[in-house]
Amino acid sequence: WNSIRAIANYTVISGGFSNTVEGAAEYSVIVGGCRNAIQTNADYGAIAGGGWNTIQTNAKYGAIAGGFSNNIGTTAHGGAIGGGYRNAIQTNAGYGAIAGGYHNTIQANAGYGAIGGGGSNTLGTAARYGAIAGGFKNTIESNVDYGVIAGGYYNTIEANAEHGAIG
């Protein structure tokens, strides 16, 4: 029930159920789990297990270590999600990383951002090089470069702030 679709050269699915590597996602691997997908042209993608995880079209070098319903968006090159539940690196948020937790989001164009874990934390649109270490409902809003929140809950660095930090 696993499938490797047309022209996905040098690709491996080693187990699980209903996993898919789509066309031209060369050198990609899904180790196991259920209903995981590496979409078209997501070369060098890797999903280690879990379920309903997706590396979307053209998100080259993406990696999801496991968990459930995690997503690396279109052209989010080099994105990495360590696990957890419903974490997302959105479109063009290249080289972003979410270590785990649940419902954490690096929004579109927020390249090089990181969320360490916790829940419902958000790195806003085009908030580049930001980091949220963990906690709950912490937010670095849109267009904040180099913002840092060390943890806690309900902390916010407001939109367009320059180099904000909450520690």
Side-chain angles (χ1 to χ4, degrees):
W1 295 87
N2 293 310
S3 67
I4 298 173
R5 296 196 184 148
I7 323 172
N9 295 317
Y10 315 107
T11 295
V12 174
I13 297 176
S14 64
F17 174 76
S18 196
N19 296 307
T20 303
V21 177
E22 294 182 2
E26 295 183 343
Y27 306 101
S28 294
V29 62
I30 296 177
V31 176
C34 176
R35 299 190 193 280
N36 296 304
I38 299 174
Q39 294 181 347
T40 303
N41 294 319
D43 298 339
Y44 302 95
I47 298 177
W52 283 268
N53 297 306
T54 304
I55 299 173
Q56 291 185 358
T57 301
N58 295 316
K60 297 178 187 306
Y61 309 103
I64 299 174
F68 182 77
S69 197
N70 296 302
N71 185 58
I72 297 175
T74 302
T75 63
H77 301 304
I81 297 175
Y85 171 71
R86 293 192 58 143
N87 295 305
I89 299 171
Q90 294 181 348
T91 301
N92 295 322
Y95 305 98
I98 299 173
Y102 63 95
H103 206 264
N104 295 304
T105 304
I106 298 175
Q107 292 182 343
N109 301 309
Y112 305 95
I115 298 176
S120 299
N121 296 302
T122 303
L123 186 57
T125 301
R128 298 170 304 149
Y129 306 100
I132 299 173
F136 180 71
K137 288 210 173 207
N138 294 306
T139 302
I140 298 174
E141 292 184 349
S142 298
N143 301 308
V144 176
D145 289 346
Y146 306 101
V148 175
I149 297 176
Y153 58 95
Y154 291 97
N155 294 301
T156 300
I157 298 175
E158 294 184 1
N160 302 307
E162 289 189 32
H163 315 297
I166 295 175

